[in-house]
Amino acid sequence: MFISASLKTISPALTAVLLLGLLLTAPAQAQRRSKTSAANADGSLATTPTAPGRPARLQPMFGGLSPAQATQIIGEAQLKAIAASFASTAEASAFFTNKGYEYLRERQPDTAVYRFNLAWLLDPKNAEAYRGLGIVASSQPTPDAAIRILIQGLALAPTSSAMLSDLGTSYLLRYSQAKKKKDLTTGMDLLQRATTTDPANAEGWQQLARGYYYQEKYAEAWAAVHKGQNASVSSLDFNLIGDLLTKLPDPQGIFK
């Protein structure tokens, strides 16, 4: 396995930190590194595929249903009863968004997506609900749904570094699949905005490094890898590091 081989080439102290970081890596990050994606840039609802055999409530945004249709699945009376337990629907939505992320960390995606769906129905202006649903959708074979959902989330939170990097990553994944230069350009723009907005966005730096690799800008890619490493060693993408080593030695000599 490449990760094991890579760890042998760096210092013991850094190795220990990296191992701890890998254990703490968020499920969403792991999903993005192992999947490729795609979606409509206009954010239209019609393109989300309904997974055969899966209940709509366990699909992001109920598999592309309108809020009115989704409400019928939950039950209008039940939705009102849920909201009544909170001071406002916005507070209820924030609560279920937080629960969704908790279930993602516990690797319970079905439970997570249902909580994110509730959050979306309770407050369609809750950007984090879209981000959570986009993360869940990123596990699909193609990234169409993830991109569509994250576009809607970014429209609500245009300066969110996390949303920018999630969406940028999804475009890079689609580029890796379809090799459309527009996807690479869009992804790089989003990732550059993400890391400019928050220089400590370690995952954003690693994804930006992957984009530079696609552009054959290997020195820039190494620089981005190390910026991400400085922010959080758990963000390191050893598959990318292995690819980079075949093109250009690490200028800092950390990885060999």
Side-chain angles (χ1 to χ4, degrees), residues 5 9 25 49 54 57 82 85 89 113 120 206 210 235 253:
T9 68
T25 297
R54 283 185 64 76
R57 66 187 181 85
I82 291 171
S85 301
T89 53
V113 73
W120 167 64
Q206 301 301 336
R210 173 60 73 177
S235 71

Side-chain angles (χ1 to χ4, degrees), residues 188-206:
M188 290 298 285
D189 175 66
L190 289 163
L191 289 163
Q192 286 164 349
R193 288 165 57 191
T195 52
T196 299
T197 300
D198 179 13
N201 185 338
E203 180 66 13
W205 283 114
Q206 301 301 336

Side-chain angles (χ1 to χ4, degrees), residues 135-182:
I135 289 171
V136 174
S138 72
S139 67
Q140 296 181 11
T142 65
D144 295 11
I147 292 178
R148 176 186 59 77
I149 293 169
L150 290 169
I151 284 173
Q152 295 177 73
L154 186 62
L156 295 168
T159 61
S160 167
S161 178
M163 195 85 72
L164 286 163
S165 61
D166 287 348
L167 183 55
T169 298
S170 295
Y171 274 108
L172 288 194
L173 289 170
R174 183 159 73 179
Y175 171 77
S176 72
Q177 223 178 25
K179 295 293 186 280
K180 293 182 179 179
K181 290 185 178 180
K182 184 178 179 180

Side-chain angles (χ1 to χ4, degrees), residues 9 92 96 138 183 236 245:
T9 68
F96 285 110
S138 72
D183 286 334
L236 288 170
L245 285 170

Side-chain angles (χ1 to χ4, degrees), residues 3-130:
I3 288 178
S4 299
S6 298
L7 291 177
K8 292 178 182 178
T9 68
I10 56 182
S11 68
L14 181 55
T15 299
V17 177
L18 286 171
L19 287 172
L20 176 61
L22 289 170
L23 291 173
L24 298 176
T25 297
Q29 181 175 318
Q31 288 175 352
R32 291 196 187 91
R33 288 180 179 171
S34 62
K35 299 289 181 179
T36 52
S37 341
N40 280 353
D42 63 1
S44 60
L45 288 171
T47 59
T48 305
T50 301
R54 283 185 64 76
R57 66 187 181 85
L58 297 183
Q59 299 181 52
M61 299 180 79
F62 295 85
L65 298 182
S66 69
Q69 292 170 321
T71 297
Q72 293 303 309
I73 290 178
I74 300 297
E76 188 171 356
Q78 182 173 342
L79 197 61
K80 287 181 178 179
I82 291 171
S85 301
F86 299 87
S88 66
T89 53
E91 181 181 305
S93 179
F95 171 81
F96 285 110
T97 298
N98 291 334
K99 296 302 290 184
Y101 283 121
E102 286 181 19
Y103 285 117
L104 274 184
R105 287 191 292 270
E106 294 171 4
R107 291 170 171 76
Q108 299 183 51
D110 284 351
T111 308
V113 73
Y114 182 58
R115 298 308 188 272
F116 287 131
N117 276 337
L118 283 176
W120 167 64
L121 271 183
L122 288 162
D123 182 9
K125 293 185 178 181
N126 179 354
E128 279 300 314
Y130 290 91

